[in-house]
Amino acid sequence: MRAAPTILHLDMDAFYASVEQASKPSLRGKAVIVGGLGPRGVVATASYEARRFGVHSAMPMGQARRLCPNGAYLIPRFSLYRQVSDVVMALLRELSPLVEPLSLDEAFVDLEAGGVAFDARSARETGERLRADIRAATGLSGSVGLAGSKMLAKVASEEAKPAGLLLIEPGTERELLAPMSVRTLPGVGPATGEHLRRAGITTVGELAEAGEDELVRMVGRSAGAGLYRMALGLDDRPVVAERDAKSVSVEDTFDVDLHDRVRIRGEVQRLADRCVRRLRESGHSGRTIVLKVRRYDFSTLTRSETLRGPTDDPAVVREAAARLLEGVDTTGGVRLLGVGVSGLADYTQEDLFAQSLAAEPDGSDGTDGSGKPEGSEGTGGTDGADRTDGADGAGAGAVAAGTAEVEAEGVHGAAEPPGEPEPAPERRWQAGSDVLHAVYGPGWVQGSGVGRVTVRFERPGSEPGRVRTFRVDDPELEPSDPLPLVGDDPEGRP
């Protein structure tokens, strides 16, 4: 614990949804829900307008639609979120060399290490200036917490939401924490919270009064001691500037369980390619290839294979993932597939050495590799960065956050007889995805169905745009990259 509130925690407000509202003028002030749009999709972020209807993150998308039937439901666009996150993180690094990102929209900053704050007054001034700079640079709002420890700074930013700042003066921690729910404390999830509730402990104050010995008896030595320290507001963890990624992974949850073994192999190959793209984007290679399969009954298998050296070769990763799939029984259907790479390095070996040492099963039916049953739909991603990569391609639904990618892929199957041309597959347009029309310019998909796609033509900073409808195979309409929320459009599009 520090004697001055010089640890800052920034948490952007409803980040994904706020970026969508800023880049789509017609959605400003309206309920926006971002996540997987398929029957098994999950809400990633909901705007504050949507939260008034009871919609919140991690909620099944079907339930969200029932609570807020008139909301705008969009797939995530991670490439745009990363662009905006880079701007925000650059502002944080202007304050201090010690910036610890937790995700695209959240980070700790050691203000004392940057020489910008040494007491409550200077810390508050720095926090207010940061919020104003973020607003000026991105048009978005963030909430700031300031305290003498990381735990309390995070609690403060949560209490400050939305678009506020809260500073916890050292010495007032216990008084502030006492009436709060035990769920306020980091690591206290639904299961632990319910366990404590049954013991008559619902607030942080009651947690402190229970004493360390009682908490150790209830939840074990390590967890009990940690809970007691948090209840007293004690936290000595430093702000760590670098958080090395441990793995890179992607996964898809499918609208309908997959039974066709050929289709399953094809999906694994696509996932392997996506995983390698993200691996290369992060500047890494890896030695261990991991396959994840969640079956129709929610039992989950994970299998891994370790290579002789790190690789970022898509062919090597595809082959390893295919070998791992051969050892998995998919009878009955598959609802989720994932491919990951761990044992990361910042260099690659020659292909000659990127051969398998052994297939190492690190999970069995219904386990996550540690012998513990896995829960509901998972997410894929890069540790310490965005953790979801969702679904793309035909038949793919969405995991917790989905993706912003739109891919017009062919239908896999037997070849047509000679002389008969293969029919062109119907193009898929997902709500929220970016498009470019040869005549009307950039826009975004509002919806599609019955062979038609509805597009609203607008761009960041414009007035709400006009809506037009086209055939799904209109040759003048193409998928597009997102327009930047900040700065000029590098392609000079109209």
Side-chain angles (χ1 to χ4, degrees), residues 381-457:
T382 306
D383 291 358
D386 56 293
R387 298 176 182 171
T388 55
D389 199 46
D392 65 356
V399 292
T403 69
E405 299 176 14
V406 178
E407 298 183 2
E409 298 190 4
V411 178
H412 302 286
E416 294 289 330
E420 296 185 21
E422 182 177 340
E426 183 177 288
R427 299 163 79 182
R428 292 167 50 86
W429 303 99
Q430 293 181 288
S433 58
D434 296 275
V435 297
L436 183 65
H437 192 275
V439 176
Y440 302 111
W444 59 278
V445 175
Q446 282 200 324
S448 64
V450 200
R452 299 286 176 175
V453 56
T454 301
V455 178
R456 185 180 289 271
F457 291 97

Side-chain angles (χ1 to χ4, degrees), residues 73-390:
Y73 290 84
L74 311 173
I75 61 167
R77 299 184 296 164
F78 285 109
S79 62
L80 180 58
Y81 305 154
R82 291 189 189 101
Q83 292 174 20
V84 179
S85 175
D86 288 345
V87 174
V88 173
M89 296 300 166
L91 290 173
L92 296 184
R93 292 187 177 95
E94 290 179 6
L95 299 179
S96 173
L98 291 183
V99 175
E100 182 178 339
L102 304 179
S103 63
L104 289 176
D105 62 336
E106 186 180 0
F108 288 110
V109 184
D110 188 331
L111 301 180
E112 189 174 302
V116 295
F118 298 95
D119 55 22
R121 180 190 61 79
S122 58
R124 184 181 295 276
E125 290 175 353
T126 301
E128 293 290 8
R129 187 169 62 251
L130 172 64
R131 292 181 56 243
D133 289 346
I134 291 173
R135 173 73 73 175
T138 67
L140 306 179
S141 68
S143 297
V144 168
L146 293 156
S149 71
K150 289 168 69 173
M151 183 198 79
L152 290 169
K154 185 173 176 64
V155 168
S157 69
E158 187 64 31
E159 291 296 305
K161 282 186 169 293
L165 180 149
L166 177 64
L167 183 148
I168 300 177
E169 290 276 6
T172 67
E173 298 91 353
R174 290 192 64 176
E175 180 182 355
L176 177 80
L177 289 172
M180 294 183 179
S181 166
V182 294
R183 292 289 306 278
T184 303
L185 300 178
V188 180
T192 302
E194 176 61 20
H195 186 63
L196 294 171
R197 187 196 65 78
R198 290 198 299 267
I201 299 174
T202 59
T203 68
V204 177
E206 292 168 345
L207 201 62
E209 290 173 3
E212 183 173 359
D213 291 343
E214 178 63 14
L215 294 176
V216 167
R217 185 189 66 78
M218 292 173 56
V219 297
R221 178 161 299 282
S222 178
L227 279 175
Y228 184 65
R229 283 182 57 81
M230 287 192 293
L232 299 180
L234 301 177
D235 179 18
D236 297 322
R237 293 174 300 157
V239 176
V240 180
E242 298 296 333
R243 294 168 57 90
D244 291 335
K246 297 179 181 178
S247 66
V248 172
S249 62
V250 296
E251 57 187 50
D252 283 352
T253 299
F254 303 98
D255 292 348
V256 178
D257 290 349
L258 303 185
H259 294 83
D260 183 349
R261 187 74 176 184
V262 173
R263 170 72 187 282
I264 293 171
R265 282 197 295 268
E267 295 293 341
V268 168
Q269 298 296 289
R270 288 196 312 104
L271 286 166
D273 288 342
R274 280 172 51 199
C275 184
V276 169
R277 287 201 299 269
R278 292 192 46 192
L279 188 70
R280 289 179 170 179
E281 288 172 1
S282 70
H284 290 95
S285 59
R287 296 186 67 235
T288 301
I289 315 304
V290 181
L291 175 71
K292 178 178 178 181
V293 180
R294 179 166 293 147
R295 298 186 290 191
Y296 70 98
D297 58 357
F298 285 92
S299 63
T300 302
L301 303 172
T302 57
R303 295 289 185 268
S304 69
E305 181 175 296
T306 300
L307 309 176
R308 294 185 181 276
T311 185
D312 64 356
D313 186 337
V316 173
V317 176
R318 283 197 301 267
E319 291 168 6
R323 285 193 296 271
L324 293 170
L325 179 63
E326 290 305 312
V328 176
D329 180 11
T330 58
T331 304
V334 170
R335 63 182 290 121
L336 177 148
L337 290 168
V339 174
V341 178
S342 60
L344 301 188
D346 56 4
Y347 67 95
T348 59
Q349 291 275 27
E350 295 296 328
D351 290 347
L352 175 64
F353 298 104
Q355 303 298 326
S356 170
L357 283 177
E360 301 174 357
D362 54 18
S364 56
D365 289 9
T367 73
D368 62 0
S370 62
K372 299 179 181 179
E374 289 206 342
S376 57
E377 300 301 329
T379 59
T382 306
D383 291 358
D386 56 293
R387 298 176 182 171
T388 55
D389 199 46

